[in-house]
Amino acid sequence: MTLGYDVLVALPPKAVLADGTSVRPVPAWSPISSTLIHGERDAILVDAPHTAEKAREVAGWVADSGKNLVAMYATHGHGDHWFGFAEVAKRFPGTPVLGTAGTVALAEYQATARMDFWKSQFPGQIVENVVVPSVIDDHAFALEGHEVRFVEAGDSDTQDTTFVHVPDLGLVVAGDIVYNGVHPFLAGGDEQRRRDWIAAIDQIAALKPTAVVAGHKAPGGDDDPRHLDRTREYLRDAEELRAIARNAKEFADLMTLRHLGRINPAILAQSAEHLFPGTTAA
Ligand SMILES: [Zn+2]
């Protein structure tokens, strides 16, 4: 077997201001997965985190693999999945940074109008001189003769998300369509988007992958395809409990009880306050 993959989970950086105070509770962010799909010589990197320190860890990890990096691919436009490519590019100059047209459109917004948000959440920590991905010419890529497919799956936790499918490995790198051991981010859209999200999960499930890498996963988490079902279940629970709860706090409490194993309750609080505007989860 000449084809393989490895995952590096970047632990969340603390959001700390220059004066030492924290701007949000710890953990400040969910852990972020970077995946290296590799043949004997060449490799493709999928996603890289947004803070310089974590991105440098990914760059060192790719360099240590000894592989020749032939492409970097962003699963979607959120900055925490691609800002880090600029750090990796310092080690691998000239390697193309790629995404779909939908990813690139959101990435351009993240790199401009949205950059103040990122810098306010992670003062002094965001990667400098980010490189917005270029639109892919082709949705299939040959890695030493093995097909790597970039598949558009519509909306999930944000607009125009995609996943990477490597049929010869039975592998799907799912970006934010799948969460593993971490509360999914529901504050990025409405009910229609959550329905589309389930459709995206179904689209992956139909490929019958044997390994599914979640874009956000708790450290030590496996890549079992059951995380497709677990994420779908979470979304269905959210719809069910949204109809029962009277405010954000009740919703967050009910979801917590059903999903005790998931980390980063700060994300659940954001979701709850999005679903119950004008009420607080605290
Ligand atoms: Zn994400």
Side-chain angles (χ1 to χ4, degrees):
M1 189 76 169
T2 57
L3 203 59
Y5 80 98
D6 290 297
V7 182
L8 182 68
V9 178
L11 296 178
K14 286 182 195 171
V16 183
L17 297 171
D19 67 2
T21 55
S22 177
V23 296
R24 55 156 79 211
V26 175
W29 207 257
S30 294
I32 298 156
S33 305
S34 295
T35 305
L36 193 68
I37 303 164
H38 53 80
E40 232 159 83
R41 304 173 313 277
D42 295 343
I44 296 176
L45 176 65
V46 182
D47 291 353
H50 54 305
T51 60
E53 184 192 346
K54 298 296 169 186
R56 278 194 290 269
E57 281 175 27
V58 170
W61 171 71
V62 175
D64 287 349
S65 76
K67 306 291 181 188
N68 171 40
L69 191 66
V70 293
M72 298 182 238
Y73 177 79
T75 54
H76 62 289
H78 276 160
D80 57 330
H81 293 262
W82 67 268
F83 285 171
F85 287 151
E87 284 293 334
V88 182
K90 289 179 185 169
R91 306 286 286 266
F92 297 92
T95 300
V97 176
L98 305 171
T100 60
T103 294
V104 171
L106 178 58
E108 276 169 353
Y109 166 72
Q110 296 270 306
T112 54
R114 190 69 171 159
M115 190 52 98
D116 283 350
F117 161 80
W118 290 107
K119 291 192 168 167
S120 71
Q121 294 297 306
F122 301 95
Q125 299 175 79
I126 296 295
V127 170
E128 298 284 345
N129 304 316
V130 299
V131 182
V132 172
S134 305
V135 179
I136 45 172
D137 294 324
D138 202 331
H139 283 65
F141 192 99
L143 182 67
E144 297 178 6
H146 300 277
E147 192 185 18
V148 176
R149 298 173 57 227
F150 306 123
V151 186
E152 296 186 78
D155 293 358
S156 58
D157 75 344
T158 187
Q159 68 200 55
D160 301 324
T161 54
T162 79
F163 60 88
V164 180
H165 182 212
V166 189
D168 289 349
L169 276 177
L171 171 69
V172 165
V173 183
D176 280 1
I177 300 166
V178 178
Y179 280 65
N180 173 359
V182 180
H183 284 286
F185 176 68
L186 307 183
D190 57 11
E191 197 174 346
Q192 180 59 47
R193 183 165 280 173
R194 292 191 294 279
R195 274 198 292 271
D196 292 346
W197 189 341
I198 289 176
I201 293 169
D202 293 344
Q203 191 181 341
I204 294 175
L207 299 169
K208 303 198 184 310
T210 52
V212 176
V213 178
H216 298 284
K217 70 169 176 171
D222 62 25
D223 301 323
D224 192 283
R226 76 178 183 283
H227 300 299
L228 291 164
D229 295 333
R230 294 293 92 84
T231 306
R232 193 194 288 109
E233 217 169 79
Y234 190 97
L235 294 167
R236 289 192 175 143
D237 285 351
E239 289 313 309
E240 183 194 331
L241 298 177
R242 189 166 75 97
I244 293 168
R246 287 168 300 179
N247 53 52
K249 182 164 184 350
E250 282 187 9
F251 176 82
D253 287 349
L254 290 166
M255 285 297 281
T256 299
L257 285 174
R258 284 203 193 171
H259 297 276
L260 285 169
R262 291 183 186 265
I263 64 169
N264 203 358
I267 290 290
L268 174 58
Q270 280 182 43
S271 299
E273 290 173 5
H274 172 77
L275 294 171
F276 293 87
T279 68
T280 60

